[in-house]
Amino acid sequence: MTIPEKLIYHWGILPLWLLLTASVYFRSPIPIDETRYLSVAWDMWLRGDFLVPYLNGETYSHKPPLLFWLIQAGWGVFGVNQWWPSLVGPLAALANLLLTRKLAEKLWPEQAAAALLAPWILMATLLWTLFATSTMFDILLTGWVLLGMLGLLEVMQGAERNGWILVAAAMGLGILSKGPVVLLHLIPTAALVVVWTPRPIAFPRWFGGLLIAVLLGAAIALFWAIPAAMAGGEEYANAILWHQTADRAVSTKIHTRSLFWYLPFLPMFLFPWLFWPHFWGSLRGSRFFNDSGLRFCLVWLVSSFVVFSLLPSKQIHYLIPMLPAFALLVARVVGQNAEKPRLAGEWLLPVLFGAIGIFLVYLPKTPGLSKLNWVQTVQPAWGLSVLAIAIILALSVWIKRGLSIAALSTALVTAIFVGFIFFFRYAGPAYNLAPAAMQVKNYNEQHIPFVYVGNYQGQFNFLGRLTQPVPVLPGERLADWAAQHADGYLISLEKNKPSDAIYLQPHREYWLVFRRAGQAADVKPL
């Protein structure tokens, strides 16, 4: 690399991260996940209870409190607002990028190129990019996984005490972020140390240190969990100490998928790098199994994928913590390849970007997708913008006679930034529940009786800054409630658009409906 290239790759990741982060100001919190987590933080804030998470007045055992604590810490400094929670995810994403660079420096201290390239590759790995600005747990969890992997390398390189402290801290804070799932990301790589270690290892000492780190990590988590269990009651205690760990991992019926469910998504998860011929050419020319760093990345990547494929509960974002391993692998094999790539192969990704742009232009006419409510509102400007990015990328290939990682990453991040803007321009009314939340707040302030019929997920509490729980009613009790509250209102989420409602708005692909109590017979909640 030339000195200007080194400066670009060292510092250029920051403006690219800022561009991606700016996308949060073009969208509202996304129901049902982001609105729910904001409402949990808001409920804890109202109660002044920072030990036990609450949602709509009831204990919330599905997630540990670290994300909620981070949100409340910002509120403590800046006051309650919506912009700070929107920044928690991007700040965790920035930590991901910096830790990935640090890990590359540990793995390949003799090759500066890998450390410079790895954050750019992670930044533009599609699955990571899509979730980097979300108010969710996976990017935060990824940071702790990276810290734990850094600790394992510290131990292997002789700094045992500091290394195991890092591993223990990563496990404890990972549990406080998303539960014991962090162990499934870290322990397989640690247990398979014989595959990736570059030096002889004393197994009793290694696994003894790992056991102590696990116990210390558990102690960090129990420092919160035990007082929370005592304060939250028996049902909450059973949930956080057992049901939300063993039950959800082994016998859950939530998000259950087949063993091979992840496989068809891999090309999308790892776009655009899997479609870059230069990566495959560099991979063929690398001394893969002679490089302990590459073996480390491969063990991390494959073990995570296998473990999470074996678990019954599957969501695409569960795999995000394995993506730094892929980014490191790509950075190493491409960075050490001094051969100039074939120009013909460098045109593939600009062509694919162009194809995506054309697809978006014709999206409203695409069979199947055209039935979606938001797709029907899409205008050609979105697709034409992506097509313009493809043309600029192609010009870069033509001028420089090759495709650089900086150009490709910038193109992908810019396309995602543009995509967020256009998607929420067209689909915004289906995701912005603030108007409905303000309607609910008005009912509360005027002491008008109302009830949410069906499964309520906390969509309104934070958006409306509600100070009272939203009353929730199962459908079978609807008629009795309506008879007793003739002047009341009914709120429900329904599949089909009703013909008569006092307030109506799309809610993702469904309809959020407000009716008078006298229309109880018309309510058809999901």
Side-chain angles (χ1 to χ4, degrees), residues 216-335:
L216 287 175
I220 292 172
L222 289 173
F223 189 73
W224 160 75
I226 291 176
M230 295 172 63
E234 182 178 356
E235 183 177 351
Y236 178 74
N238 289 334
I240 64 170
L241 296 176
W242 179 253
H243 293 298
Q244 294 306 317
T245 56
D247 282 4
R248 294 195 73 174
V250 178
S251 59
T252 183
K253 294 183 180 180
I254 302 173
H255 310 310
T256 53
R257 324 278 189 182
S258 70
L259 177 65
F260 302 105
W261 185 78
Y262 285 125
L263 279 175
F265 292 102
L266 278 180
M268 181 190 74
F269 292 170
L270 304 179
F271 183 86
W273 311 108
L274 282 189
F275 296 87
W276 191 23
H278 182 44
F279 164 61
W280 293 104
S282 301
L283 191 62
R284 286 194 299 270
S286 66
R287 296 180 178 180
F288 203 91
F289 293 101
N290 293 329
D291 188 318
S292 62
L294 285 176
R295 294 198 305 272
F296 176 84
C297 294
L298 188 63
V299 168
W300 174 4
L301 186 64
V302 173
S303 64
S304 295
F305 184 78
V306 170
V307 166
F308 282 86
S309 293
L310 291 173
L311 294 179
S313 179
K314 295 179 178 68
Q315 289 280 72
I316 60 173
H317 49 88
Y318 292 176
L319 296 185
I320 289 175
M322 79 176 193
L323 297 180
F326 176 74
L328 289 162
L329 188 152
V330 175
R332 173 60 170 172
V333 300
V334 173

Side-chain angles (χ1 to χ4, degrees), residues 80-374:
V80 175
N81 58 72
Q82 190 168 307
W83 62 263
W84 168 253
S86 298
L87 287 180
V88 172
L91 288 172
L94 179 60
N96 281 196
L97 299 172
L98 298 178
L99 285 169
T100 299
R101 175 175 289 171
K102 183 66 176 177
L103 202 54
E105 292 171 351
K106 278 286 183 183
L107 288 168
W108 304 289
E110 77 289 350
Q111 190 189 26
L116 292 174
L117 296 176
W120 287 80
I121 294 166
L122 180 61
M123 171 71 87
T125 300
L126 183 59
L127 179 60
W128 188 93
T129 313
L130 289 173
F131 283 89
T133 58
S134 63
T135 309
M136 294 178 67
F137 304 89
D138 303 279
I139 297 294
L140 182 61
L141 177 65
T142 301
W144 305 128
V145 172
L146 281 161
L147 186 68
M149 295 299 179
L150 193 61
L152 293 178
L153 293 180
E154 288 274 1
V155 175
M156 186 53 60
Q157 294 174 10
E160 291 190 40
R161 181 179 177 182
N162 289 341
W164 288 127
I165 288 174
L166 287 179
V167 174
M171 289 178 173
L173 293 169
I175 292 171
L176 289 175
S177 296
K178 204 182 175 183
V181 68
V182 67
L183 303 179
L184 300 181
H185 289 285
L186 290 172
I187 288 180
T189 301
L192 293 170
V193 59
V194 69
V195 179
W196 55 265
T197 179
R199 61 188 68 179
I201 184 170
F203 287 103
R205 190 176 184 88
W206 174 268
F207 285 101
L210 179 61
L211 177 60
I212 292 172
V214 171
L215 295 176
L216 287 175
I220 292 172
L222 289 173
F223 189 73
W224 160 75
I226 291 176
M230 295 172 63
E234 182 178 356
E235 183 177 351
Y236 178 74
N238 289 334
I240 64 170
L241 296 176
W242 179 253
H243 293 298
Q244 294 306 317
T245 56
D247 282 4
R248 294 195 73 174
V250 178
S251 59
T252 183
K253 294 183 180 180
I254 302 173
H255 310 310
T256 53
R257 324 278 189 182
S258 70
L259 177 65
F260 302 105
W261 185 78
Y262 285 125
L263 279 175
F265 292 102
L266 278 180
M268 181 190 74
F269 292 170
L270 304 179
F271 183 86
W273 311 108
L274 282 189
F275 296 87
W276 191 23
H278 182 44
F279 164 61
W280 293 104
S282 301
L283 191 62
R284 286 194 299 270
S286 66
R287 296 180 178 180
F288 203 91
F289 293 101
N290 293 329
D291 188 318
S292 62
L294 285 176
R295 294 198 305 272
F296 176 84
C297 294
L298 188 63
V299 168
W300 174 4
L301 186 64
V302 173
S303 64
S304 295
F305 184 78
V306 170
V307 166
F308 282 86
S309 293
L310 291 173
L311 294 179
S313 179
K314 295 179 178 68
Q315 289 280 72
I316 60 173
H317 49 88
Y318 292 176
L319 296 185
I320 289 175
M322 79 176 193
L323 297 180
F326 176 74
L328 289 162
L329 188 152
V330 175
R332 173 60 170 172
V333 300
V334 173
Q336 70 179 353
N337 184 10
E339 296 182 11
K340 193 171 182 64
R342 294 181 179 180
L343 184 59
E346 301 291 79
W347 293 105
L348 178 59
L349 281 168
V351 169
L352 285 177
F353 270 78
I356 293 170
I358 293 171
F359 170 77
L360 290 171
V361 169
Y362 291 97
L363 186 62
K365 299 179 181 179
T366 304
L369 294 176
S370 60
K371 296 179 180 179
L372 299 176
N373 295 325
W374 70 271

